[in-house]
Amino acid sequence: MNATAGDEIIIEIPTGIETINADGVTVPAGKKLTVVGDKNVVIAVKSPILFSNAITLKDIVIDGSETTSPIFKIDDEASADDVFTIDNVSFTGVVVKNLKSELFYANKKKVVVKNFSVDNSIISVKGSTKKTMFSFNGGGLPEAFSINNSTLYADTKSTWSNGGLYSSQSGSKMSDLNIESNTISITNSTLYNICKGQHPCTVRQNSAKGQVYTVKNSIIVNGGKVSGSETQFLVGLNGGSAGNDYNWDVDGHGFMSGDNITTEKKIGKTNGLNKNVVSIDPQFSADMIAKGFFFPTNGAFPKTVGDPRWNK
């Protein structure tokens, strides 16, 4: 069922279809898009889905194997000179397979996304390209960007390392967009082979008031730069800077590099903000991608850490 209600287009994907091809799709200017899916139906994206207003995606499967272009892209027709606001970009219960390029791309657009969220989703990447998964590329900012109860991963042969997780580099400062905060949050999530050997974020400004990074109850394996036994995922969120205490809200996370449990480079001005709660090797292996990222259940590995779907 497809319906248009005022400024919103609602698409309910019908059952009984195996694949829907998405090629040359443009959401009409100013229209919001809501897509409610069926996990048995795969949307095969062949070229960028262009939009200029809010998008809400729920319970859909996206296959990016047939394109090396971004999956969702702010329409080139949107203003490049004026600041404009999008209420939300949300991925809920979404499965993305074979991602080869940006999942979200806003090329030099002064767009403010008030709430950008990835919830209860699984994103798997294919290939190692110089692309950023969520890229504002020299333009706007999200007021709030969050990854919750989700898994982002690449296999060891196609580590997502060159482009990073998020970028607002060379774009606008918060003051340029008349916003007071830019928060990046990762909670109860599992990241495996994402941003290996590099900072996860390249940012327009760091360590500013209103710039807050929250990492809670998440496990990061092979993420961030490594120096000896010390990983640098957290400071990498802030573009490599330890920042100030007010920039950080961190608790209950676990970090690993290869088979080693690691310490994290210090953040903020106070020691102890980044204590690793993982005291044993959860024994990640290649077959975990097929079988699921299930962890040991003994007391040395907190069941509260990581994407909850694997903690059984």
Side-chain angles (χ1 to χ4, degrees):
M1 172 184 164
N2 299 343
T4 300
D7 64 350
E8 184 174 14
I9 298 172
I10 302 172
I11 299 175
E12 294 181 5
I13 296 177
T15 59
I17 301 174
E18 290 186 0
T19 304
I20 296 176
N21 292 319
D23 191 7
V25 176
T26 300
V27 181
K31 292 286 187 180
K32 300 177 182 179
L33 174 67
T34 296
V35 182
V36 180
D38 182 313
K39 288 294 183 65
N40 295 315
V41 181
V42 175
I43 301 175
V45 177
K46 299 178 182 296
S47 62
I49 297 171
L50 305 178
F51 68 102
S52 58
N53 206 334
I55 55 173
T56 301
L57 310 172
K58 184 175 182 181
D59 297 331
I60 66 173
V61 179
I62 296 171
D63 185 357
S65 61
E66 296 187 59
T67 181
T68 55
S69 297
I71 302 298
F72 293 95
K73 180 183 176 183
I74 297 288
D75 196 339
D76 289 337
E77 297 301 318
S79 174
D81 300 317
D82 301 322
V83 176
F84 64 101
T85 299
I86 291 177
D87 286 338
N88 69 279
V89 174
S90 65
F91 298 78
T92 304
V94 172
V95 175
V96 179
K97 304 188 298 183
N98 302 312
L99 182 65
K100 297 179 181 179
S101 189
E102 297 93 343
L103 182 56
F104 168 88
Y105 187 53
N107 186 29
K108 297 179 174 59
K109 304 297 182 183
K110 294 181 180 179
V111 57
V112 175
V113 179
K114 298 187 74 64
N115 184 28
F116 195 122
S117 62
V118 178
D119 292 295
N120 195 34
S121 295
I122 299 176
I123 301 172
S124 64
V125 299
K126 188 70 173 177
S128 183
T129 65
K130 293 182 178 179
K131 305 295 182 182
T132 300
M133 193 174 292
F134 304 99
S135 177
F136 284 80
N137 192 40
L141 288 169
E143 286 193 56
F145 175 84
S146 63
I147 299 172
N148 308 303
N149 298 334
S150 294
T151 297
L152 284 63
Y153 73 91
D155 63 42
T156 55
K157 293 181 180 179
S158 60
T159 302
W160 188 275
S161 59
N162 292 335
L165 179 66
Y166 164 92
S167 178
S168 63
Q169 193 172 36
S170 303
S172 303
K173 295 181 180 180
M174 289 183 283
S175 58
D176 297 333
L177 301 173
N178 300 314
I179 62 175
E180 296 181 355
S181 65
N182 171 221
T183 64
I184 297 176
S185 172
I186 302 173
T187 58
N188 285 102
S189 292
T190 298
L191 276 65
Y192 178 52
N193 283 340
I194 300 293
C195 308
K196 182 178 180 181
Q198 71 162 53
H199 293 322
C201 296
T202 51
V203 293
R204 172 63 177 88
Q205 63 183 140
N206 58 38
S207 307
K209 287 279 189 180
Q211 182 75 61
V212 179
Y213 306 94
T214 298
V215 180
K216 292 190 175 183
N217 299 325
S218 294
I219 183 164
I220 316 296
V221 179
N222 298 337
K225 292 185 176 182
V226 179
S227 177
S229 64
E230 183 181 77
T231 52
Q232 301 176 25
F233 183 86
L234 289 178
V235 297
L237 292 175
N238 196 35
S241 171
N244 302 288
D245 286 356
Y246 56 69
N247 296 123
W248 301 100
D249 183 11
V250 175
D251 184 50
H253 56 262
F255 292 94
M256 292 183 59
S257 175
D259 294 328
N260 300 311
I261 297 164
T262 60
T263 56
E264 266 284 300
K265 186 173 181 178
K266 297 299 182 183
I267 55 174
K269 305 299 183 184
T270 303
N271 290 333
L273 283 175
N274 52 354
K275 183 179 178 180
N276 198 333
V277 299
V278 177
S279 59
I280 64 169
D281 179 1
Q283 298 175 342
F284 276 81
S285 60
D287 62 356
M288 294 185 78
I289 292 174
K291 295 179 179 179
F293 295 90
F294 295 101
F295 301 127
T297 56
N298 65 39
F301 193 91
K303 293 184 70 175
T304 56
V305 176
D307 185 338
R309 82 190 79 214
W310 312 125
N311 299 338
K312 297 180 181 179

